[in-house]
Amino acid sequence: MTCRKVRKLMPLFAGDDLRPGLAHAVRAHIDGCPVCRAELEGFRAALAEVKSAAKAEGVPEWGEGEWKALMARVASEARGTGSAPARAGAHAFVPRWAAASAVGAVIGLAILSVLFRGPSPRPEGTPAESGLVIASENPRQDRVSITMVSPETGLQVVWFLDKNFDYKGEQE
Amino acid sequence: MRMNETEKELIDMVLSGRTEAFEPLVTPYRGRLLALATRLTRNREEALEVAQEALLRAFRSLGRFDASRSFRNWLFQIAANEARDRYRKKWREQAAFKDAVDRVPAAADPEAGHDRRELRAAIMNSLAALGPREREVFVLRDLEELDIRETSRVLGCSAISVRVNLSTARRKLRDAIRRDLPHLEEKR
């Protein structure tokens, strides 16, 4: 392992946060490299300074009044709703990615429903109001065009897709 | 750190309507929760607000707590989210961190005879040099002494992300101490 690689890993090595295999390789290098050893000592000393300063700094205590007021607020909230917090199912927690996926699926369905609906009731020649325009006027929907308009530059790009959504070309 | 039986019983009591059980449930963590909030916000008043809001949120969400997790880490997660939300709000209002950065002292002069308290404050103010995520990771891993996996769970990110931010945070702190407090390095 090179000095450069060891320096990259040094912050994690200094706090014993490297995986065992990597830590072993770094240790082997440091044992034979006084420059990297000095660098490691610098890291460990800085970390120790911050930790000891944090310990010595102490942390504020709750004032008894503040604590009692908070607990009274909790109690009054329970009284206000007339119930304790409701128990959810054991796996009621929904991770953010699941919520995002659900939103994505809804948006996707909305787009597909727009693409597959019948001809637009909008009269011909009426200008579109949004940047995304489904411009097909063909009731059989054999071809679909999507027009994208940049609000900043006014540049328009039209994509043509067939009924299977295969890309068939574009036009500026 | 798994939840103990007493905590499970207290949670069941709260959920069954005996809300007075909430106080003994959270009292063991009140000090550490306020400590975490203080280290994340670097401001006593704001820390108190974060800790209070975190406990209120915990009460409201207790029914959704997953009993297979650590209750302490769940509280920490709520507090870290609250501190982050406040930071973002401040940032949007253009007040982001300016106070904290302004509080960082200029290069310390060893001849000025820093007493220990000032030195401590200077070291702790170097935390202001960290980005919000870096500070969260550093505080949880190095000051609250959670391991990498616990830290990633509290922050809702991957262990790799924790390692990357931790590495950057430690490097920045080492550089800040070397730059602003060079006499500490010389003492070694």
Side-chain angles (χ1 to χ4, degrees):
Chain A
M1 192 173 271
T2 62
C3 288
R4 190 188 162 117
K5 175 86 175 162
V6 167
R7 301 275 169 93
K8 264 187 156 179
L9 298 171
M10 195 70 86
L12 292 178
F13 183 78
D16 297 326
D17 290 308
L18 274 187
R19 293 177 203 286
L22 266 180
H24 182 76
V26 172
R27 166 57 61 202
H29 175 94
I30 284 173
D31 284 347
C33 177
V35 180
C36 288
R37 196 157 52 239
E39 181 79 2
L40 173 65
E41 282 165 12
F43 259 110
R44 288 200 164 144
L47 266 180
E49 287 288 349
V50 180
K51 285 183 185 180
S52 105
K55 277 200 180 122
E57 182 187 53
V59 288
E61 289 288 322
W62 289 84
E64 274 315 301
E66 290 162 342
W67 183 254
K68 292 282 173 218
L70 177 64
M71 289 303 124
R73 214 174 138 194
V74 167
S76 77
E77 199 162 292
R79 276 196 303 273
T81 58
S83 65
R87 185 190 290 277
H91 300 287
F93 173 73
V94 179
R96 282 184 208 165
W97 62 262
S101 304
V103 170
V106 168
I107 292 172
L109 283 173
I111 291 172
L112 286 175
S113 70
V114 168
L115 291 175
F116 284 107
R117 75 182 178 193
S120 164
R122 182 163 48 83
E124 275 188 44
T126 305
E129 289 177 3
S130 73
L132 179 65
V133 182
I134 307 305
S136 174
E137 297 295 337
N138 182 346
R140 291 177 57 209
Q141 293 282 306
D142 286 336
R143 276 172 75 96
V144 174
S145 66
I146 300 174
T147 306
M148 284 162 290
V149 184
S150 163
E152 284 88 18
T153 62
L155 179 71
Q156 291 191 15
V157 177
V158 183
W159 282 0
F160 294 101
L161 311 168
D162 68 14
K163 63 181 177 186
N164 296 319
F165 289 97
D166 289 331
Y167 176 73
K168 291 294 173 192
E170 65 181 46
Q171 174 191 322
E172 278 190 20
Chain B
M1 184 179 162
R2 295 275 173 210
M3 199 170 57
N4 61 42
E5 287 305 313
T6 313
E7 282 177 349
K8 279 184 183 162
E9 284 166 19
L10 289 170
I11 288 171
D12 285 341
M13 285 166 71
V14 175
L15 294 177
S16 64
R18 295 179 59 189
T19 51
E20 71 275 12
F22 187 70
E23 182 167 1
L25 174 65
V26 293
T27 296
Y29 304 113
R30 70 181 209 175
R32 289 195 68 183
L33 196 66
L34 188 55
L36 173 67
T38 305
R39 286 167 178 160
L40 290 175
T41 61
R42 308 294 307 141
N43 176 303
R44 204 266 175 196
E45 295 307 313
E46 207 173 347
L48 192 60
E49 287 175 19
V50 165
Q52 285 175 337
E53 190 56 36
L55 287 169
L56 281 171
R57 280 196 194 183
F59 174 72
R60 292 176 196 137
S61 314
L62 197 58
R64 293 201 297 273
F65 170 65
D66 175 357
S68 66
R69 292 185 59 190
S70 148
F71 184 68
R72 180 200 66 178
N73 289 353
W74 185 66
L75 284 179
F76 280 8
Q77 179 177 16
I78 296 172
N81 287 343
E82 178 65 23
R84 195 179 317 127
D85 288 348
R86 282 168 184 261
Y87 172 81
R88 285 181 181 151
K89 193 174 169 202
K90 262 171 94 177
W91 189 82
R92 280 198 299 270
E93 291 167 359
Q94 303 286 309
F97 251 8
K98 190 166 184 317
D99 292 348
V101 171
D102 288 346
R103 282 202 302 272
V104 177
D109 176 5
E111 290 176 5
H114 264 278
D115 68 14
R116 193 65 203 162
R117 199 170 157 184
E118 285 174 331
L119 183 61
R120 217 160 50 215
I123 292 172
M124 293 311 290
N125 278 336
S126 61
L127 286 176
L130 305 182
R133 183 59 106 193
E134 292 157 2
R135 187 163 17 154
E136 287 169 356
V137 166
F138 182 79
V139 166
L140 288 169
R141 171 70 190 100
D142 282 339
L143 304 186
E144 297 299 331
E145 298 179 343
L146 271 61
D147 62 27
I148 296 276
R149 180 194 285 239
E150 285 177 318
T151 303
S152 74
R153 283 187 157 201
V154 166
L155 296 177
C157 62
S158 68
I160 292 174
S161 169
V162 168
R163 283 196 168 90
V164 168
N165 282 291
L166 186 61
S167 179
T168 310
R170 285 176 179 165
R171 194 177 291 282
K172 281 185 180 177
L173 286 174
R174 197 276 316 260
D175 291 348
I177 287 174
R178 188 178 271 180
R179 184 186 61 242
D180 298 336
L181 305 161
H183 54 296
L184 284 182
E185 288 261 320
E186 286 158 16
K187 269 197 319 193
R188 288 197 296 115

